[in-house]
Amino acid sequence: MENKIFIFDTTLRDGEQSPGASLNIYEKLEIAHQLAKLNVDVIEAGFPISSPAQFEAVKLIASEVDKTIAALARANEKDIDSAFKALAQARSKRIHTFTSTSDFHIMGKFGHEKYGKSLAEKRETILKMAYDSVKYAKSLCEDVEFSAEDAGRTDINYLAEVIYTAIDAGANVVNIPDTTGYTLPKEFGEKIAQLRKLVKNIDKAVISVHCHNDLGLAVANSISAIENGARQIECTVNGIGERAGNASLEEIVMAIKVRNDLLKYSTNIETREIYNSSKLVSGFTGILVQRNKAIVGENAFAHESGIHQDGMLKDRNTYEIMTPELVGYPKTKIILGRHSGRHGLKVRLKELGYEITDQKLDEVYLAFTELADKKKEVFDEDLRIIMGDSISHKNEHYELNYLHVISGSGSIPTAVVRIKKDSEIKEESSTGDGPVDAVFNAIERALGIKQQIESYNVRSVTSGRQAMGEVLVRIRSSSRSFTGRGISTDIIEASAKAYLNALNKKEQHETLLKTTSEENNLITVV
Ligand code: KIV
Ligand code: ZN
């Protein structure tokens, strides 16, 4: 059996389903480019039928990123057509279709009589859906993956029947998801081993697994599956995803690399791109990486106690099982300042993984000098923020032009804002319970809207007194929520930018919804 493990990255699909993570199309494209550098085997770019924004993102990534691009579709022709259409320009494409197989899902999601009266009848319907959808997808696309949703809790004999049927219809990858993160490593590994025995045509497909982390076992379950014959792992950068997330890409890849004495497998991952990938994903999604997270957390390579530090100075092997350089941790902290030139900035950006054109360098250099004037020392984290900001705020409808706030003990907080709305300038002022409330009220008056704020968070993203403050504002439209992000050395300004960013995302979503549903007759699934 081959010992190569294929890495199927679903950061942009399952990862983006993390509560509160909403990425705009440019942020997704940037992440997809980084995943290509990381050299994952497949990028699952989204679920095209689920919304026009998803459709457009998959389409853009498929046309720009030279990797196998996968798109998700439920087991019906409409979803599959939408996935195929979104993937049209991909040089290498995969349709990923799925249906539920556990009794919990069948009875819960396919309760309607049209799927059959009894569980046995419903199971027959699902078998047929699996066969028909794979056959249909295969008529459009050579590479077809089938997933049996909630396979972790599916009766093994029925699961074997479904998997046999999907391979018989032409699936070349069959995915066994532990959708609810319920299984234990030994149990899950045995499930894969049993499938290899029970499914007669299993050698015609690659076995994949997709483990969720509800019990904190997603990585352990994935590794156990590999040891029992799985050869594709579905995972996400930083382990983000539905609920407690998916198996973490960096943990699986490094476990295979570091414990190659026992895990005699290999991946194509360029491990030195792991740290940059982690930073990019947490920056754009606003989902922070816990300090003690394995491989990419801030403390992953920090040695605090005297005994440990002494050991490290004598021999790194005492307390380090892999070097930070292997996962791309920057060796040195370079500090740039207002006297740093464009060349120095370009070189440092390249070291941080950003290749930029001269035209883009002009724009970034301007932002860099503005920041250097404010805070003197510019760290790597600041540069990542500048780069991220230029992508997050691309093509925005509303832009903050001017902000003036008066606040203090004994005075009524008052804000004046000037907002550029396309080519128009809107100016308004307002008071509020505090300076942030005053700013939000002034923005709403200027734009003539009233918006409910679901959450507001502020934190410092770089160190020191002049640190950059990051504000995340979550707002809700009728069907979904949008998180806006704003960064500045002034947290009131960051709040205004974050609120406008959220409004821009909502606006972009609504415009896309209107135009694409008119043009393509797409349906929205919430
Ligand atoms: O968790 C899951 O089962 C999924 C499938 C769509 C693969 O995300
Ligand atoms: Zn999932």
Side-chain angles (χ1 to χ4, degrees), residues 15-268:
E16 212 232 356
Q17 288 171 219
S18 306
S22 55
L23 298 166
N24 73 28
I25 198 163
Y26 307 109
E27 293 166 334
K28 285 187 186 177
L29 181 63
E30 195 65 18
I31 292 177
H33 279 305
Q34 179 58 33
L35 293 172
K37 274 197 209 157
L38 184 62
N39 210 19
V40 303
D41 297 286
V42 182
I43 297 173
E44 185 165 50
F47 184 8
I49 193 90
S50 69
S51 77
Q54 289 266 338
F55 182 92
E56 290 304 319
V58 174
K59 191 170 156 196
L60 182 67
I61 291 167
S63 67
E64 301 248 335
V65 182
D66 193 8
K67 272 280 157 200
T68 297
I69 309 297
L72 189 67
R74 287 167 302 186
N76 65 62
E77 291 193 3
K78 208 164 182 172
D79 276 38
I80 293 169
D81 283 339
S82 170
F84 184 62
K85 201 166 164 196
L87 289 171
Q89 291 183 56
R91 273 145 276 191
S92 168
K93 47 177 102 46
R94 174 179 297 178
I95 295 178
H96 177 192
T97 185
F98 73 101
T99 186
S100 298
T101 53
S102 70
D103 294 352
F104 286 111
H105 277 224
I106 294 178
M107 296 312 283
K109 288 165 67 174
F110 294 88
H112 196 282
E113 281 206 354
K114 74 175 179 191
Y115 297 106
K117 289 203 177 74
S118 62
L119 176 63
E121 277 180 24
K122 288 180 195 293
R123 280 184 168 186
E124 275 307 310
T125 309
I126 298 235
L127 264 184
K128 183 164 164 25
M129 278 168 67
Y131 185 87
D132 291 348
S133 59
V134 172
K135 194 93 190 156
Y136 182 65
K138 197 76 181 180
S139 72
L140 303 172
C141 180
E142 194 37 51
D143 190 354
V144 175
E145 171 169 337
F146 172 79
S147 284
E149 196 187 10
D150 204 16
R153 294 189 300 171
T154 300
D155 166 72
I156 188 69
N157 292 312
Y158 179 60
L159 182 60
E161 225 184 311
V162 176
I163 296 301
Y164 176 88
T165 306
I167 298 174
D168 194 37
N172 46 293
V173 180
V174 282
N175 186 33
I176 313 301
D178 183 20
T179 304
T180 53
Y182 176 73
T183 63
L184 303 180
K186 189 161 178 283
E187 177 193 15
F188 194 60
E190 278 166 8
K191 200 151 205 159
I192 303 301
Q194 271 180 300
L195 285 174
R196 288 182 62 210
K197 281 199 196 110
L198 294 171
V199 179
K200 294 284 168 281
N201 54 4
I202 197 78
D203 289 342
K204 293 202 181 120
V206 171
I207 303 178
S208 167
V209 293
H210 172 116
C211 297
H212 278 270
N213 206 28
D214 300 63
L215 293 175
L217 293 170
V219 170
N221 285 345
S222 304
I223 289 173
S224 175
I226 291 175
E227 291 179 302
N228 284 283
R231 289 294 177 267
Q232 176 180 281
I233 298 296
E234 301 199 357
C235 46
T236 58
V237 173
N238 298 337
I240 62 171
E242 280 279 0
R243 307 181 310 281
N246 288 66
S248 136
L249 180 150
E250 57 278 5
E251 292 176 22
I252 290 171
V253 167
M254 292 316 290
I256 292 173
K257 195 160 183 100
V258 172
R259 295 311 312 273
N260 213 240
D261 54 329
L262 292 180
L263 299 172
K264 299 201 179 299
Y265 313 99
S266 64
T267 71
N268 282 334

Side-chain angles (χ1 to χ4, degrees), residues 52-53 55-56 511-522:
F55 182 92
E56 290 304 319
T511 312
L512 213 50
L513 193 67
K514 201 159 162 276
T515 47
T516 41
S517 55
E518 274 161 13
E519 280 166 20
N520 301 342
N521 204 15
L522 282 168

Side-chain angles (χ1 to χ4, degrees), residues 256-384:
I256 292 173
K257 195 160 183 100
V258 172
R259 295 311 312 273
N260 213 240
D261 54 329
L262 292 180
L263 299 172
K264 299 201 179 299
Y265 313 99
S266 64
T267 71
N268 282 334
I269 295 297
E270 180 48 74
T271 61
R272 284 168 205 275
E273 289 295 334
I274 284 178
Y275 185 73
N276 281 342
S277 307
S278 166
K279 283 282 168 195
L280 195 70
V281 168
S282 72
F284 283 148
T285 56
I287 300 177
L288 308 185
V289 172
Q290 78 198 51
R291 285 183 90 94
N292 60 331
K293 160 92 173 61
I295 320 294
V296 290
E298 222 175 298
N299 293 354
F301 296 96
H303 302 272
E304 181 75 15
S305 91
I307 296 174
H308 285 217
Q309 288 177 353
D310 184 53
M312 282 295 289
L313 289 171
K314 289 180 175 135
D315 178 0
R316 285 177 83 155
N317 289 317
T318 48
Y319 290 105
E320 217 169 62
I321 59 167
M322 65 193 124
T323 63
E325 293 81 31
L326 192 58
V327 297
Y329 252 79
K331 267 198 282 267
T332 44
K333 266 205 157 97
I334 304 258
I335 303 170
L336 301 179
R338 68 207 310 172
H339 301 299
S340 304
R342 301 158 64 89
H343 181 67
L345 176 66
K346 191 170 180 181
V347 169
R348 190 59 191 152
L349 286 174
K350 190 157 187 235
E351 283 162 1
L352 296 178
Y354 302 99
E355 304 270 355
I356 55 172
T357 60
D358 285 347
Q359 192 193 348
K360 176 90 182 162
L361 181 62
D362 289 343
E363 186 193 312
V364 173
Y365 189 69
L366 187 67
F368 162 76
T369 49
E370 276 171 13
L371 184 65
D373 274 344
K374 281 191 203 156
K375 70 186 290 264
K376 294 195 184 78
E377 293 181 323
V378 178
F379 298 97
D380 290 348
E381 287 311 298
D382 296 309
L383 295 181
R384 288 186 199 278

